């Protein structure tokens, strides 16, 4: 009976959240209109990403009570086209002895017409935390039942409490799981487990460990095959600054190699600061999750945020957002390219600008949610754009002489920089959504994702090159499923007319 009461409570809280939104009880300053945010409260990294019952499902770490960190739920949103998203009730709540202080990120997988969520449960004591791996199952993609015999993994082999974020996948007839962990030397490492049935897991080996220059914990691991290679994505805490690399508090990046499923190990991989490539060079990007779309593309979404960042919107009852969905490809040099999915074009509305601009010229953005497409005539001249507003600015610049592209949002640590070598001309796609900006350079060789807090934006062209700029207004694409709300309301109040 407990799970029935919990299901009713989740549905009731979800309906209250919808009513709060529709009655404008929550102030929405800085809230985006085409990025996923929580209906109210705090959101951080995605926890699962999959396709089930003709819909894409994205789950995320979610504290529903205010715009601050707290005991994590699993928030839930669904889409049929990867750009129009509808909020669903929370999938997981921290209400059992093994997860009472939080349900943290893991994986969402489909098996035998069921949707399974693998997640990390956290328990806090006075001196340390204890983390376990757990499973929840759904037959409808809305409500989830936790496995009766959770946890399926009670502790790491070395007994250290930093043990989280299971990534689960199938190869052949066997299931695989990798979990982030801290070694006895306080170095990041990944542990490999295997299973025949998804519920009984055997420790295989320590899959890969740090040489000592890759932080003290590896979170949110993701491993997949792409264009004949295996890509390992991890989020790292505790890396040291290296020039213009690794300037954020925490880093998300990747290494390339070959994983041998039969032997349960990598044939040729080294995870070190020399081989670790940043996935995104902006100020706010962490905890990426990927999946295979129905047409075979490898797509990815991440948290458009960073730990210990100033979140001005938190005083208005909400905090942070997810990135737009991106497509991943490997180029001939083994560089992971990340570009906006083509479905983003479906959100384009009015064409606001479509003209050549010379250095020094300006134009008003005329919208707080828009896409800019920028083209130059040559790679031999500097290119720059400045987004200006009262008391602030955000600068994007390409230096032809030095071969890098950079952003600057001001402040003590405002500059981010990456090497970039465009082939024929400078091409960028820039997405702004009230309090976020995402800059895609070329075919996705360099990407910057950052939070900004502008008011009315004016765009100024700088540098030495003329630019052809197209600007599209982007429509709202985040909302609630009115049919689901009605069904839940009738389930709670069956005699309501």
């Amino acid at each position: 009976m407990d799970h029935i009461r919990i299901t009713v409570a989740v549905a009731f809280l979800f309906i209250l959240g919808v009513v709060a939104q529709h009655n404008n009880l929550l102030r929405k300053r800085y809230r985006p209109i085409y990025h996923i945010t929580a209906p109210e409260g705090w959101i951080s990294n995605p926890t699962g990403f999959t396709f089930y019952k003709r819909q894409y499902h994205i789950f995320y770490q979610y504290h529903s009570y205010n715009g601050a960190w707290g005991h994590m739920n699993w928030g839930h949103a669904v889409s049929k086209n990867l750009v129009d998203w509808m909020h669903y009730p929370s999938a997981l709540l921290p209400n059992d002895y093994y997860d009472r202080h939080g349900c943290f990120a893991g994986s969402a997988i489909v098996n035998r017409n069921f949707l399974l969520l693998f997640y990390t449960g956290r328990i806090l004591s006075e001196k340390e935390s204890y983390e376990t791996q757990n499973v929840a199952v759904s037959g409808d993609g809305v409500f989830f039942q936790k496995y009766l015999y959770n946890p399926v993994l009670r502790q790491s082999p070395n007994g250290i409490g930093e043990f989280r974020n299971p990534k689960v996948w199938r190869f052949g007839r066997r299931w695989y799981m990798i979990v982030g962990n801290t070694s006895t030397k306080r170095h990041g490492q990944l542990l490999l487990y295997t299973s025949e049935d998804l519920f009984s897991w055997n420790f295989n080996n320590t899959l890969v460990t740090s040489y000592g220059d890759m932080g003290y914990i590896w979170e949110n691991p993701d491993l997949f095959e792409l264009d004949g290679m295996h890509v390992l994505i991890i989020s790292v805490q505790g890396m040291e600054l290296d020039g213009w690399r690794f300037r954020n508090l925490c880093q998300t990046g990747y290494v390339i190699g070959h994983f041998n499923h039969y032997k349960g190990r990598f044939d040729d991989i080294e995870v070190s600061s020399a081989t670790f490539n940043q996935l995104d060079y902006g100020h706010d990007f962490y905890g990426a999750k990927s999946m295979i779309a129905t047409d075979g593309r490898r797509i990815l979404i991440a948290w458009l945020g960073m730990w210990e960042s100033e979140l001005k919107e938190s005083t208005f009852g909400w905090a942070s957002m997810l990135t737009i969905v991106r497509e991943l490809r490997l180029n001939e040099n083994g560089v992971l390219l990340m570009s906006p999915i083509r479905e983003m074009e479906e959100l384009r509305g009015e064409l606001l600008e479509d003209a050549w601009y010379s250095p020094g010229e300006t134009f008003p953005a005329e919208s707080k949610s828009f896409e800019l497409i920028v083209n130059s005539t040559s790679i031999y001249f500097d290119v720059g754009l400045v987004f200006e507003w009262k008391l602030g600015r955000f600068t994007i610049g390409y230096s032809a002489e030095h071969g890098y592209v950079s952003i600057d949002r001001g402040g003590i640590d405002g500059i981010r920089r990456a090497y970039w070598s465009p082939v024929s001309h400078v091409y960028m796609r820039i997405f702004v959504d009230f309090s976020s900006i995402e800059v895609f350079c070329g075919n996705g060789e360099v990407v910057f994702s950052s939070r900004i807090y502008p008011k009315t934006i004016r765009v100024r062209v700088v540098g030495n090159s003329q630019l052809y700029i197209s600007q599209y207004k982007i429509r709202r694409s985040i909302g609630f499923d009115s049919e689901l709300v009605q069904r839940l309301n009738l389930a709670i109040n069956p005699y309501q007319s």
Side-chain angles (χ1 to χ4, degrees):
M1 294 296 293
D2 283 346
H3 75 275
I4 296 176
R5 289 195 293 270
I6 292 167
T7 297
V8 172
V10 169
F12 181 68
L13 290 172
F14 177 70
I15 292 171
L16 284 180
V18 174
V19 172
Q21 285 279 309
H22 286 182
N23 291 338
N24 201 29
L25 296 178
L26 298 174
R27 298 181 66 183
K28 298 181 180 180
R29 191 175 183 185
Y30 302 123
R31 186 186 288 274
I33 64 171
Y34 64 90
H35 287 75
I36 294 174
T37 62
E40 56 182 307
W42 167 285
I43 183 175
S44 58
N45 51 285
T47 55
F49 193 17
T50 193
F51 186 83
Y52 178 67
K53 290 189 179 293
R54 297 182 294 179
Q55 295 186 115
Y56 290 96
H57 294 252
I58 182 70
F59 303 89
Y60 51 85
Q61 290 187 171
Y62 174 37
H63 182 65
S64 58
Y65 303 106
N66 55 49
W69 171 266
H71 296 171
M72 289 293 110
N73 305 337
W74 270 38
H76 187 189
V78 302
S79 174
K80 293 183 178 180
N81 63 359
L82 292 168
V83 290
D84 291 288
W85 293 93
M86 296 292 178
H87 290 295
Y88 264 30
S90 291
L92 296 173
L93 297 177
N95 52 15
D96 285 280
Y97 75 92
Y98 50 81
D99 62 14
R100 64 177 180 266
H101 294 123
C103 300
F104 289 86
S107 303
I109 63 168
V110 177
N111 184 48
R112 296 182 179 177
N113 207 36
F114 289 96
L115 178 54
L116 288 80
L117 306 183
F118 285 82
Y119 72 99
T120 296
R122 173 176 283 183
I123 306 171
L124 299 176
S125 68
E126 293 183 359
K127 295 184 178 180
E128 61 179 317
S129 65
Y130 299 91
E131 295 177 334
T132 61
Q133 313 315 316
N134 307 279
V135 187
V137 183
S138 174
D140 62 6
V142 181
F143 295 111
F144 294 81
Q145 175 68 42
K146 293 177 183 176
Y147 181 46
L148 180 63
Y149 300 106
N150 277 338
V152 294
L153 291 177
R154 295 184 176 274
Q155 66 176 12
S156 65
N158 60 19
I160 293 178
E162 304 281 1
F163 176 53
R164 53 183 174 266
N165 309 140
K167 159 68 179 182
V168 177
W169 75 99
R170 182 168 61 185
F171 182 82
R173 297 183 178 181
R174 178 170 293 182
W175 293 93
Y176 295 77
M177 177 196 293
I178 51 176
V179 186
N181 183 228
T182 297
S183 72
T184 54
K185 296 181 179 179
R186 303 300 296 172
H187 297 161
Q189 63 181 17
L190 297 179
L191 308 177
L192 177 65
Y193 294 82
T194 56
S195 173
E196 303 298 328
D197 62 3
L198 286 169
F199 299 101
S200 299
W201 292 89
N202 298 310
F203 176 64
N204 190 297
N205 58 58
T206 299
L207 182 62
V208 63
T209 190
S210 169
Y211 288 90
D213 60 349
M214 283 290 295
Y216 59 84
I217 178 66
W218 295 350
E219 298 185 312
N220 303 292
D222 196 0
L223 177 62
F224 53 87
E225 187 175 354
L226 185 64
D227 299 331
M229 303 290 288
H230 283 94
V231 180
L232 174 64
I233 295 176
I234 53 175
S235 296
V236 181
Q237 294 188 11
M239 284 193 74
E240 294 185 1
L241 179 71
D242 180 17
W244 288 103
R245 303 171 71 216
F246 316 139
R247 299 191 70 86
N248 293 339
L249 180 64
C250 305
Q251 322 301 326
T252 296
Y254 68 96
V255 291
I256 305 294
H258 290 92
F259 180 72
N260 189 318
H261 282 88
Y262 302 104
K263 296 180 179 179
R265 61 177 176 83
F266 285 100
D267 292 332
D268 57 349
I269 201 168
E270 173 189 321
V271 183
S272 68
S273 60
T275 61
F276 187 66
N277 303 285
Q278 287 179 247
L279 195 54
D280 186 297
Y281 292 85
H283 303 83
D284 299 288
F285 183 91
Y286 194 72
K289 281 279 183 289
S290 77
M291 64 166 288
I292 298 178
T294 55
D295 59 3
R297 290 175 295 170
R298 174 63 60 170
I299 56 177
L300 175 144
I301 194 167
W303 178 29
L304 212 168
M306 183 53 57
W307 302 113
E308 299 187 12
S309 293
E310 178 187 18
L311 298 172
K312 293 183 179 181
E313 69 273 15
S314 62
T315 59
F316 302 104
W318 70 280
S320 212
M321 65 182 78
L322 303 185
T323 66
I324 62 172
V325 180
R326 304 162 179 196
E327 179 181 355
L328 299 180
R329 292 173 292 117
L330 275 178
N331 70 10
E332 62 277 6
N333 298 317
V335 175
L336 195 59
L337 308 179
M338 188 162 57
S339 57
I341 56 171
R342 58 176 178 266
E343 288 85 349
M344 285 301 299
E345 296 181 10
E346 298 177 18
L347 300 184
R348 290 176 180 171
E350 180 183 357
L351 181 62
L352 301 175
E353 295 289 337
D354 193 37
W356 284 100
Y357 286 89
S358 298
E361 293 185 319
T362 68
F363 62 90
E366 297 187 26
S367 174
K368 293 184 178 181
S369 298
F370 60 87
E371 176 189 357
L372 280 188
I373 302 173
V374 181
N375 286 277
S376 76
T377 57
S378 171
I379 61 172
Y380 301 109
F381 299 99
D382 291 353
V383 170
L385 287 174
V386 182
F387 296 79
E388 300 174 315
W389 59 92
K390 186 177 180 181
L391 303 179
R393 66 174 57 188
F394 185 92
T395 302
I396 305 169
Y398 164 69
S399 172
E401 179 181 357
H402 298 100
Y404 63 72
V405 60
S406 62
I407 60 171
D408 184 359
R409 68 175 179 184
I412 298 174
D413 187 36
I415 300 176
R416 297 291 185 270
R417 180 181 296 175
Y419 289 106
W420 183 40
S421 301
V423 177
S424 58
H425 66 288
V426 174
Y427 170 71
M428 298 180 185
R429 289 180 69 184
I430 303 165
F431 292 85
V432 175
D433 194 6
F434 275 78
S435 58
S436 69
I437 185 166
E438 292 164 271
V439 183
F440 296 85
C441 302
N443 292 318
E445 299 92 348
V446 176
V447 183
F448 299 97
S449 301
S450 297
R451 294 299 303 277
I452 55 175
Y453 295 91
K455 294 183 179 179
T456 301
I457 295 177
R458 191 167 190 86
V459 182
R460 178 161 54 93
V461 175
V462 295
N464 307 114
S465 178
Q466 280 192 320
L467 299 179
Y468 193 87
I469 299 176
S470 301
Q471 181 192 17
Y472 291 93
K473 187 176 182 179
I474 293 188
R475 65 172 173 83
R476 180 181 296 275
S477 66
I478 311 296
F480 291 92
D481 187 333
S482 57
E483 292 183 4
L484 176 65
V485 173
Q486 185 176 10
R487 289 194 345 248
L488 295 178
N489 201 19
L490 288 174
I492 296 172
N493 304 289
Y495 302 108
Q496 181 178 357
S497 58

